[in-house]
C-alpha cells in the first residue's frame, strides 16, 4: 500500500535526502496526501465514480507527459475498468499538444494570445457521454485555461455533470497539475543532488 503518492512517483525512499527535505514541510506533505485521498478514495463516490476519477487522472497525467504518474493512474484504472484503458491511452496520444495556449479577449493581454487546436474526443463511443465531456473539459483546463467560460460549464451540465461533479472534476485536474509539477521538481532536485539534510 502506498502511503505517500508524491514520494512514490518521485522515487523517494525513506531516509533519503529528498525524504528529509520533504520532512521540513510536514504540513505540505500531509495535505498533499490528504488531497489525493479525498479525490481518489472518498468515503462516498458522490457524483463522480472512482472509474471516472482514475480515467480523468490517467488522461491528465498523460497530457502532462509524466510517464510515472500516467502509469500509476492507468494502473489504477486497469484495476477498476480494464476495458477503458486502450480508449484513454488513445485519447492521450490524440490530445498531446504544446501549450498552454489560448486567446485573451481585447485588452492588455491580447498581444499574448496564441491560437491552438481545440481538442475533441476521437472515440466518444468508447468513453461514453460523461467521460467524453470530462476529457474535453480537462484538456481545456490543462492547455487553454484562459478560454474557460460559463459555456464550457454548460456543456458539462448537458452531458450529465451536476454542480458537485463539475467541482470535483476541476479539483482533479488542478490536483494532477500540482502533483506532476511537484514530482518533476523533486526528481530534478534528486538528479542535481541539491537536496541536502
Amino acid at each position: 500500500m502506498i502511503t505517500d503518492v508524491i514520494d512514490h512517483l518521485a522515487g523517494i525512499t525513506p531516509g533519503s535526502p529528498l525524504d528529509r527535505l520533504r520532512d521540513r514541510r510536514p504540513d505540505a506533505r500531509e495535505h498533499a496526501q490528504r488531497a489525493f485521498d479525498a479525490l481518489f478514495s472518498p468515503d462516498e463516490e458522490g457524483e463522480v465514480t472512482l472509474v471516472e476519477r482514475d480515467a480523468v487522472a490517467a488522461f491528465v497525467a498523460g497530457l502532462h507527459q509524466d510517464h510515472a504518474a500516467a502509469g500509476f493512474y492507468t494502473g489504477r484504472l486497469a484495476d477498476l475498468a480494464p476495458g477503458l484503458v486502450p480508449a484513454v491511452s488513445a485519447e492521450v496520444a490524440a490530445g498531446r499538444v504544446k501549450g498552454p495556449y489560448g486567446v485573451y479577449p481585447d485588452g492588455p493581454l491580447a498581444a499574448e494570445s496564441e491560437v491552438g487546436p481545440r481538442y475533441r474526443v476521437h472515440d466518444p463511443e468508447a468513453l461514453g457521454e460523461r467521460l467524453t465531456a470530462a476529457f474535453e473539459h480537462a484538456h481545456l483546463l490543462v492547455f487553454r485555461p484562459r478560454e474557460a467560460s460559463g459555456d464550457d460549464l454548460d456543456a458539462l451540465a448537458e452531458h450529465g455533470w451536476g454542480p458537485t461533479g463539475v467541482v470535483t472534476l476541476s479539483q482533479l485536474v488542478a490536483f494532477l497539475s500540482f502533483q506532476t509539477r511537484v514530482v518533476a521538481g523533486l526528481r530534478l532536485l534528486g538528479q542535481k543532488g541539491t537536496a541536502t539534510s
Side-chain angles (χ1 to χ4, degrees):
M1 182 175 173
I2 296 169
T3 57
D4 190 297
V5 174
I6 287 176
D7 282 358
H8 173 72
L9 295 178
I12 297 174
T13 56
S16 68
L18 284 177
D19 184 45
R20 292 192 299 273
L21 180 70
R22 289 202 75 206
D23 273 344
R24 292 180 184 177
R25 300 284 306 276
D27 290 345
R29 192 175 210 172
E30 178 185 352
H31 293 312
Q33 184 59 35
R34 283 190 180 187
F36 171 84
D37 292 339
L39 288 168
F40 293 98
S41 301
D43 293 335
E44 296 180 11
E45 286 182 325
E47 289 185 25
V48 187
T49 68
L50 295 179
V51 169
E52 289 171 332
R53 292 166 194 256
D54 284 325
V56 168
F59 178 66
V60 172
L63 293 179
H64 283 289
Q65 299 188 46
D66 186 303
H67 301 297
F72 174 75
Y73 289 108
T74 299
R76 287 174 54 92
L77 178 61
D79 288 342
L80 297 174
L84 262 180
V85 170
V88 173
S89 297
E91 294 302 331
V92 168
R96 281 194 185 129
V97 294
K98 298 266 185 190
Y101 56 88
V103 177
Y104 286 108
D106 292 336
L109 297 177
E112 296 181 22
S113 294
E114 182 179 343
V115 177
R118 292 183 175 270
Y119 167 77
R120 291 293 176 254
V121 164
H122 287 65
D123 191 354
E125 190 173 322
L127 291 181
E129 181 181 12
R130 279 175 55 89
L131 273 180
T132 292
F135 277 32
E136 290 176 357
H137 191 73
H139 196 278
L140 168 74
L141 295 180
V142 170
F143 290 111
R144 296 180 11 249
R146 67 186 72 163
E147 293 183 9
S149 69
D151 290 343
D152 299 300
L153 300 179
D154 292 342
L156 284 171
E158 289 170 10
H159 295 93
W161 289 87
T164 302
V166 169
V167 170
T168 301
L169 174 60
S170 299
Q171 289 173 328
L172 283 166
V173 175
F175 176 78
L176 266 293
S177 296
F178 155 78
Q179 185 183 64
T180 55
R181 283 166 174 78
V182 169
V183 168
L186 288 168
R187 286 188 197 128
L188 186 60
L189 285 173
Q191 289 168 2
K192 292 183 178 269
T194 55
T196 59
S197 55

